[in-house]
Amino acid sequence: MRYLVMVQARCGSTRLPNKVLKDIAGKTALQWVIERVRRSRHIDEVMVVTSIEKNNLELIRLCVEMNLRVFVGSENDVLDRYYQAAKLIQPEYIVRITADCPFFDWRYLDMAIEQIEDEIDYMAELTESFPDGLDIEIVRWPALKRMWKEARLSSEREHVTMYIKNHPELFKIQNLECPIAGISNKRWTLDQAEDYQLISNIYNYFVSNDKEDFVTEDILEYLRLNPHLEKLNGKITRNEGLAISLASDKEVKSEEWI
């Protein structure tokens, strides 16, 4: 297998509980993400990776109904969750997507796959030129295995690719640049109640107009005509969860995951 998409999802979010199962225009956020990812022309399979907590049972049932392979692993060591799931298949590339990105634009995934250079270990939007919520990361299997073996900080275990960002000299890295300039300030991720209000409004509009396959340009045009909507979540800081994780960072003993 060449490209395995692994969608990170769980129901234990503290800021917006059960956010990936929130109803958005008749479907859950996770369903929308999966459907949009499956529009890609280049991927081989989509798998959901979740944690062993009981509150994820409904999520697992949904994956079964959608005929998705689902892997259940560590709650806090998300890097281990990805490694253990990928080890079963060992694809050439793992595409990491999170289930709190219901506006995911499959065209940018195809663009990334078409642009990735030979022997690149890690490709991502390093300059954060995309709106928050259109995140894509592509990791070669050997690089994921090395991260799993060497990552020591709790932030590196929780945030899957943090070890690469902390040690760029060890990996071959490529930036993915947004083809639309000047939209990096947009917040399209699902993490708080205000995000849910914005995302629901946009989805309700497009679904009611029979356009489930809306893309980035469509969202931008709708927001241009309805600029007040961006005030709903405009004051929320990007990567807030990462900042919290870094503030309580600590070294983790290797025997805790090996």
Side-chain angles (χ1 to χ4, degrees):
M1 184 181 295
R2 189 163 172 79
Y3 288 100
L4 171 65
V5 177
M6 300 175 71
V7 178
Q8 182 178 323
R10 68 185 183 96
C11 295
S13 173
T14 55
R15 289 181 292 275
L16 186 63
N18 293 318
K19 64 181 181 180
V20 301
L21 296 181
K22 286 281 189 183
D23 180 87
I24 301 174
K27 298 180 184 179
T28 66
L30 178 60
Q31 284 176 286
W32 285 120
V33 172
I34 296 300
E35 289 183 10
R36 293 174 76 84
V37 171
R38 280 176 163 173
R39 292 180 184 273
S40 168
R41 294 179 288 109
H42 298 314
I43 61 172
D44 296 298
E45 183 180 347
V46 183
M47 170 193 287
V48 170
V49 287
T50 189
S51 75
I52 201 166
E53 299 299 308
K54 290 182 179 180
N55 58 5
N56 290 317
L57 287 175
E58 185 178 349
L59 183 155
I60 294 170
R61 282 195 292 268
L62 177 61
C63 292
V64 172
E65 292 172 3
M66 296 182 70
N67 195 30
L68 280 170
R69 194 183 332 222
V70 58
F71 179 86
V72 178
S74 173
E75 169 75 4
N76 297 316
D77 190 343
V78 189
L79 175 55
D80 182 71
R81 194 193 310 172
Y82 265 80
Y83 170 75
Q84 298 298 342
K87 186 172 69 170
L88 300 173
I89 301 173
Q90 297 189 25
E92 187 173 349
Y93 295 97
I94 296 95
V95 180
R96 179 178 178 240
I97 294 168
T98 56
D100 54 6
C101 297
F103 289 158
F104 180 82
D105 194 326
W106 61 93
R107 302 172 308 157
Y108 296 148
L109 174 55
D110 286 341
M111 181 184 76
I113 291 173
E114 290 164 6
Q115 290 182 2
I116 195 166
E117 300 169 2
D118 292 341
E119 304 303 316
I120 287 295
D121 293 311
Y122 178 62
M123 184 185 203
E125 47 148 348
L126 304 174
T127 55
E128 294 189 343
S129 59
F130 287 84
D132 189 3
L134 296 189
D135 313 58
I136 298 170
E137 294 180 291
I138 302 178
V139 185
R140 288 182 70 227
W141 162 243
L144 178 64
K145 187 175 182 179
R146 180 171 185 174
M147 285 191 291
W148 178 79
K149 286 182 176 179
E150 299 179 4
R152 293 291 184 271
L153 298 176
S154 57
S155 61
E156 294 171 344
R157 310 302 299 187
E158 180 183 356
H159 302 277
V160 178
T161 57
M162 183 58 63
Y163 183 77
I164 289 180
K165 296 170 184 175
N166 287 343
H167 302 277
E169 73 282 358
L170 302 178
F171 302 91
K172 294 181 180 179
I173 299 173
Q174 182 178 348
N175 182 49
L176 177 65
E177 193 73 17
C178 183
I180 304 174
I183 62 172
S184 62
N185 63 327
K186 307 295 182 185
R187 181 179 171 86
W188 296 349
T189 189
L190 179 60
D191 194 49
Q192 300 197 27
E194 295 86 349
D195 300 324
Y196 181 61
Q197 287 180 277
L198 173 67
I199 291 168
S200 295
N201 183 293
I202 294 172
Y203 256 101
N204 286 333
Y205 171 77
F206 285 110
V207 171
S208 66
N209 285 279
D210 197 28
K211 189 174 175 57
E212 293 188 0
D213 61 343
F214 63 93
V215 294
T216 300
E217 291 87 344
D218 298 316
I219 302 172
L220 292 171
E221 176 61 15
Y222 181 66
L223 292 175
R224 186 186 69 81
L225 297 174
N226 299 274
H228 63 283
L229 291 175
E230 293 190 272
K231 296 179 182 179
L232 290 171
N233 65 350
K235 295 183 179 180
I236 303 174
T237 304
R238 186 167 184 155
N239 294 328
E240 187 177 53
L242 174 58
I244 294 172
S245 178
L246 292 174
S248 59
D249 216 1
K250 63 179 180 179
E251 188 169 334
V252 182
K253 296 179 180 179
S254 60
E255 57 265 25
E256 293 183 27
W257 71 85
I258 295 178

